[in-house]
Amino acid sequence: MATTWLGPKDRTAALESMAHEELDVLVVGGGIVGAGIALDAVSRGLSTGLIEARDFASGTSSRSSKLIHGGLRYLEQFDFELVREALQERGLLLTTIAPHLVRPVPFLFPFQHHWERFYIGAGVTLYDILAQSSRNNRVLPAHRHLTRSGAMRVFPALKRNALAGAVQYWDCQVDDARYVTTVLRTAAGLGARIASRVQAVEFLREGEHVVGATAADLESGERIRVRARQVVNAAGVWTDDIQEMVGGRGQIHVSASKGVHLVVPRDRIQASSGMILQTEKSVLFVIPWGRHWIIGTTDTSWDLDKENPAASRADIDYVLDHINQVLRTPLSRDDVEGVYAGLRPLLSGESEETSKLSREHTVAHPVPGLVLIAGGKYTTYRVMAKDAVDAVAHGLGGAIPDSVTDKLPLVGADGYAALYNQRHRLAREVGLHVSRVSHLLRRFGSSVHDVLDLIREREDLGRPLTGADDYLRAEVVYAVEAEGARHLEDVLSRRTRISFETWDRGIAAAEETAELMAGLLGWSKEQVQREVEYYRKGIEAERAAQEQETDQAADAVQHGAPEIVPDVHIGAAKERS
């Protein structure tokens, strides 16, 4: 097995390999779907490469509601098969594939009228029945009905007149960006070549057949020609842009829906459960997240900057207005620690309302050698990946093994339960508080040994980061050495979630984090300051955008922030021979 690490040397080796060896499969896109495709393909014995133009999970896959769920609201749309499939995947992820990353969380579903108990109760009962069709879901408790007083004991922050009773049910949550990185590391361990900050700029053609892609290394300015028997476009909201590279709109059209989430301190809402509320457009979740709550989301169409969708004042007020309708002590903008906005890739339909566009996925083979996949939802990424690689197998011809990812634990899953039971011993051995070790185990699983080894080698790495006490300095080093982080934002926004979990959005931790990264990435003092300054300007632009009333105004402000690695001008790139 190859190394599961995605450090600087591993990236260089991956690019060298892709430049000189023809692959069976090249995946374009390093979000959850692309990561899943790379893992599915390489685990079937196909030589596989993956390139991502920015950081892994930097788009939709780090800005979701961070739920692994069946999608209770889809029952109302009679999309029973989508819900059943998602619940089956939820069970697999919770018990087999990633028990260290996916964990159960209860949700309260309040209602205002007594007759709603039967309607909501029937829906949640069906939800549980669909889940029970998979034995892997039976570890979650069944739903229960609560009186108004019972619901108030679970969620004391509610106004008493905001509900007549409630149903409590269970779903799961995950750190979405961390999950993507773990899938990619698992694929790398099986031999996949994986590199971020590498942009596909054109497809290689032999007649009408796509035979690979020209890719620009955005770090060096070099171009490489990556030859592959099949190319898979897993670019999410960028699907239409990639399709233009083969001439025209193509067979799939994707619309972007913006979802905005707020992060508030845990003490602002007194509750021992998450909550789901129906709104006029969609649903609103209140999700426990460590020492915080995540509240969201909005659901509005978006046709502006895809790389950094901006949250406006109107978005923030929308979420606050809806949650405050049921809270005894209202939240204000002063209670908001962090805000993040992401884009959902939805398959376009006849309706102009994004909340009614399809969350199902589709796979197309528009020209020989090219597979397109789009749509879907985070929870069903593995099914999407399987379907995409099945299409690849059809294009390759010959006998290709069936998918095995339903039985393949991710890096860190093996031995996790036993290690978690031994967390007190691990804490004593390394000299950390047991809560620190628990935190590390829930982020790295059995790979925690690698992180603890760093602390054993350098005692200073066992200290928390300045301004971000929940994270240890060792996690920054590990993010670079093992998880492919190449820039300051990668660490503060995705390998950790400091950018939305702290009041200053990571500014206080920025310089120390950059200095820890510098020695591993060969940065000069000037580069350290450049990284810090670019991060600071990005946060300033984000905050300024959130004061604007409209999407257009917010986008204009946030779009003005400089990128630490802008898209390369193709004509200026050097080609690697």
Side-chain angles (χ1 to χ4, degrees):
M1 179 180 282
T3 178
T4 63
W5 287 32
L6 300 174
K9 293 180 181 179
D10 305 293
R11 178 182 185 273
T12 299
L15 289 174
E16 288 291 336
S17 178
M18 285 191 278
H20 294 100
E21 300 174 22
E22 184 183 43
L23 301 169
D24 291 324
V25 186
L26 173 65
V27 182
V28 178
I32 186 56
V33 177
I37 292 168
L39 179 57
D40 192 286
V42 74
S43 64
R44 296 200 205 189
L46 302 176
S47 59
T48 303
L50 178 144
I51 55 175
E52 160 59 44
R54 302 177 74 217
D55 183 28
F56 304 127
S58 59
T60 303
S61 296
S62 61
R63 308 180 193 193
S64 73
S65 296
K66 313 197 187 317
L67 293 176
I68 297 295
H69 65 141
L72 188 59
R73 72 186 177 104
Y74 299 120
L75 291 178
E76 200 168 29
Q77 301 171 13
F78 303 105
D79 204 341
F80 303 131
E81 181 55 29
L82 176 63
V83 175
R84 186 203 62 77
E85 180 180 75
L87 288 171
Q88 180 172 310
E89 291 302 305
R90 184 190 73 177
L92 280 172
L93 299 177
L94 178 63
T95 61
T96 302
I97 297 174
H100 57 313
L101 300 177
V102 177
R103 54 189 54 89
V105 60
F107 285 95
L108 195 73
F109 198 148
F111 49 83
Q112 292 184 310
H113 307 285
H114 289 290
W115 63 264
E116 291 178 283
R117 182 180 295 279
F118 302 100
Y119 178 72
I120 294 171
V124 177
T125 297
L126 177 58
Y127 197 66
D128 279 353
I129 290 171
L130 291 172
Q132 293 300 322
S133 64
S134 169
R135 62 181 177 85
N136 296 301
N137 278 290
R138 294 173 189 168
V139 297
L140 292 179
H143 74 277
R144 60 173 181 152
H145 285 265
L146 298 171
T147 63
R148 174 190 284 164
S149 296
M152 294 291 294
R153 284 193 291 272
V154 171
F155 214 109
L158 287 173
K159 295 177 182 175
R160 190 166 183 82
N161 64 1
L163 74 165
V167 176
Q168 189 177 48
Y169 73 99
W170 290 76
D171 256 322
C172 295
Q173 69 176 176
V174 71
D175 184 329
D176 47 6
R178 172 150 301 282
Y179 192 93
V180 172
T181 303
T182 306
V183 174
L184 289 168
R185 290 185 59 197
T186 307
L190 294 171
R193 292 82 153 175
I194 294 167
S196 66
R197 308 287 180 179
V198 179
Q199 182 179 2
V201 294
E202 64 179 343
F203 288 122
L204 302 177
R205 307 290 287 265
E206 294 286 351
E208 66 172 355
H209 205 108
V210 171
V211 294
T214 298
D217 181 350
L218 302 185
E219 301 280 17
S220 68
E222 293 183 331
R223 282 197 293 175
I224 62 173
R225 292 164 60 87
V226 184
R227 298 190 66 84
R229 298 170 64 196
Q230 293 280 299
V231 178
V232 182
N233 170 14
V237 293
W238 287 272
T239 294
D240 290 12
D241 300 319
I242 298 293
Q243 285 184 106
E244 290 180 3
M245 291 164 52
V246 289
R249 167 175 154 170
Q251 297 182 353
I252 298 175
H253 182 55
V254 171
S255 293
S257 166
K258 183 177 68 167
V260 172
H261 295 80
L262 312 184
V263 182
V264 303
R266 195 67 176 263
D267 63 6
R268 298 304 194 273
I269 300 175
Q270 187 181 359
S272 59
S273 169
M275 183 169 64
I276 178 174
L277 298 170
Q278 288 181 305
T279 73
E280 66 276 9
K281 294 182 180 179
S282 181
V283 296
L284 192 73
F285 284 101
V286 180
I287 306 163
W289 182 261
R291 297 199 290 178
H292 319 269
W293 296 99
I294 293 176
I295 308 172
T297 178
T298 61
D299 192 353
T300 55
S301 61
W302 180 265
D303 58 4
L304 301 169
D305 179 31
K306 295 175 184 174
E307 292 190 357
N308 289 297
S312 67
R313 173 178 281 273
D315 293 324
I316 295 170
D317 288 344
Y318 173 88
V319 176
L320 289 175
D321 289 347
H322 280 77
I323 190 60
N324 284 340
Q325 290 176 17
V326 300
L327 291 183
R328 189 191 317 161
T329 303
L331 298 173
S332 71
R333 287 177 65 92
D334 290 340
D335 294 312
V336 177
E337 291 176 286
V339 181
Y340 64 90
L343 301 179
R344 307 178 192 90
L346 304 178
L347 297 176
S348 288
E350 296 179 358
S351 171
E352 293 181 358
E353 297 179 51
T354 60
S355 62
K356 295 181 180 178
L357 296 185
S358 177
R359 295 309 301 272
E360 296 194 34
H361 66 273
T362 191
V363 179
H365 223 144
V367 297
L370 179 65
V371 172
L372 306 177
I373 183 163
K377 57 200 297 285
Y378 199 109
T379 303
T380 57
Y381 84 90
R382 195 196 63 81
V383 177
M384 295 176 67
K386 173 184 175 299
D387 291 349
V389 180
D390 284 346
V392 165
H394 183 267
L396 290 174
I400 305 298
D402 292 336
S403 176
V404 296
T405 53
D406 59 333
K407 300 179 284 289
L408 181 60
L410 300 184
V411 168
D414 284 340
Y416 164 70
L419 272 177
Y420 193 79
N421 291 338
Q422 296 174 339
R423 60 192 182 279
H424 292 277
R425 176 183 61 79
L426 289 173
R428 288 192 301 271
E429 288 178 357
V430 79
L432 294 175
H433 192 278
V434 67
S435 65
R436 295 284 188 192
V437 173
S438 296
H439 157 92
L440 295 174
L441 281 164
R442 290 184 177 125
R443 283 168 52 73
F444 305 105
S446 54
S447 297
V448 71
H449 290 302
D450 297 328
V451 182
L452 296 180
D453 283 345
L454 291 173
I455 296 171
R456 292 186 181 100
E457 293 169 9
R458 283 181 52 186
E459 187 176 343
D460 68 290
L461 296 182
R463 298 201 306 265
L465 280 170
T466 302
D469 185 68
D470 285 350
Y471 297 94
L472 300 180
R473 288 160 55 89
E475 295 176 75
V476 175
V477 173
Y478 195 69
V480 174
E481 290 188 340
E483 298 176 340
R486 298 194 58 80
H487 294 281
L488 179 60
E489 184 198 4
D490 302 349
V491 173
L492 296 180
S493 296
R494 287 172 290 277
R495 303 310 183 277
T496 70
R497 309 323 291 267
I498 292 169
S499 65
F500 66 69
E501 291 178 347
T502 57
W503 289 106
D504 69 350
R505 306 195 183 178
I507 297 298
E511 188 156 356
E512 181 180 356
T513 301
E515 288 172 352
L516 284 167
M517 299 175 71
L520 305 167
L521 292 165
W523 291 350
S524 64
K525 289 183 179 180
E526 291 74 21
Q527 177 69 10
V528 169
Q529 291 308 308
R530 181 171 176 264
E531 293 278 340
V532 173
E533 184 65 9
Y534 270 62
Y535 183 79
R536 184 184 62 77
K537 287 181 178 177
I539 294 299
E540 288 176 354
E542 181 183 273
R543 286 184 180 276
Q546 291 161 15
E547 296 299 325
Q548 309 304 310
E549 289 295 338
T550 67
D551 282 350
Q552 290 74 17
D555 177 72
V557 171
Q558 189 155 309
H559 196 55
E563 289 285 337
I564 189 69
V565 182
D567 289 356
V568 73
H569 293 290
I570 297 169
K574 300 171 290 183
E575 186 155 335
R576 180 183 298 177
S577 58

